[in-house]
Amino acid sequence: MTNVLNLLPSGLVASGVQRAVYLHPTDHTKLIKVLKPSTIMPRRNNFNGVVDRWFPSTRLRQIRKEYTEYLRIMLNHPEPTFRAPMSHMFGFVSTNVGLGCLTESVMMPDGTLGETLGSKAKEGTLTDHHIDLLNDTISRLFSNDIRASDMNPNNFVFGHRDNGSGPGPEECVLVDGFGDIHAIPVRSMAKWSNRLGLIDSCERLGRNTKLTWHKDTQQFSR
Ligand SMILES: Nc1ncnc2c1ncn2[C@@H]1O[C@H](COP(=O)(O)OP(=O)(O)O)[C@@H](O)[C@H]1O
Ligand SMILES: [Mg+2]
């Protein structure tokens, strides 16, 4: 029999447009992301109906792209010193609220969830230190040719990841939106086309956070 993880409403710590994010019930280094049910689908109780309801094709496709990109990046960087700018992904778990994507958590030292770039920009609590952390991540996205199609400010989280013996250094981690989700996969065509895409995404990220994007140095400033 498959083990089904029981996720309680009290473990729900964040919610995006597509996914509900739960703390892992026994492992604080991990989160479980569950697709929100698509309530507009006509209800069919056969296998396809259930799959459609929980994984309508476009959403399924986005998740597939995210995992594909994760695999590509990790297989290209087997070196133990590689510091991934995106959160690690550990596959799937069955839960009482649907199929869960197991992912690395980005946390504060007090055990609460890290805050997003979006909420810090909105609150006006972004410091030079946060901008340095963001710039470090941006330069790793460029230098590792990572395809990040949705650089929404809410997809960057400040905090710490577990390094095997406790919380690692403070970082700004891309937790969602990587992978080439475009219908025509221009980002995957060549390094230069991904670079143009990343520049475009950074310009938009700058507009959405009221930070200035410097194309020449590929960095943000206030
Ligand atoms: N690995 C993570 N560590 C900390 N917080 C996260 C992590 N992943 C997601 N979150 C939080 O959950 C929110 C929604 O998650 P996200 O994966 O972006 O879902 P969606 O696909 O719905 O946009 C994020 O904006 C962020 O606040
Ligand atoms: Mg998101």
Side-chain angles (χ1 to χ4, degrees), residues 36-49:
K36 293 180 179 176
S38 166
T39 43
I40 47 162
M41 303 277 295
R43 196 175 183 88
R44 288 176 299 150
N45 286 325
N46 59 11
F47 177 77
N48 284 344

Side-chain angles (χ1 to χ4, degrees), residues 52-118:
D52 272 354
R53 197 151 59 243
W54 287 92
F55 289 121
S57 59
T58 50
R59 307 203 295 168
L60 226 191
R61 186 171 158 273
Q62 278 186 18
I63 295 193
R64 236 183 8 238
K65 295 271 179 171
E66 193 172 78
Y67 275 88
T68 306
E69 181 64 358
Y70 176 73
L71 286 178
R72 189 186 71 89
I73 299 163
M74 293 312 294
L75 291 172
N76 280 342
H77 294 282
E79 64 277 10
T81 49
F82 178 62
R83 200 157 58 87
M86 73 292 168
S87 48
H88 287 288
M89 300 166 70
F90 306 110
F92 298 103
V93 280
S94 297
T95 81
N96 57 315
V97 286
L99 188 66
C101 301
L102 203 58
T103 187
E104 178 183 46
S105 59
V106 183
M107 308 296 280
M108 297 308 287
D110 66 1
T112 56
L113 208 65
E115 210 182 327
T116 65
L117 171 63

Side-chain angles (χ1 to χ4, degrees), residues 13-21 31 33-36 62 66 87-88 103-107 113-116 150 152-158 173-177:
V13 281
S15 189
V17 178
Q18 297 275 2
R19 297 183 284 189
V21 181
L31 297 174
K33 298 190 182 185
V34 184
L35 265 184
K36 293 180 179 176
Q62 278 186 18
E66 193 172 78
S87 48
H88 287 288
T103 187
E104 178 183 46
S105 59
V106 183
M107 308 296 280
L113 208 65
E115 210 182 327
T116 65
D150 181 12
N152 180 310
N154 293 332
N155 289 338
F156 288 90
V157 177
F158 292 100
V173 182
L174 183 64
V175 299
D176 176 29

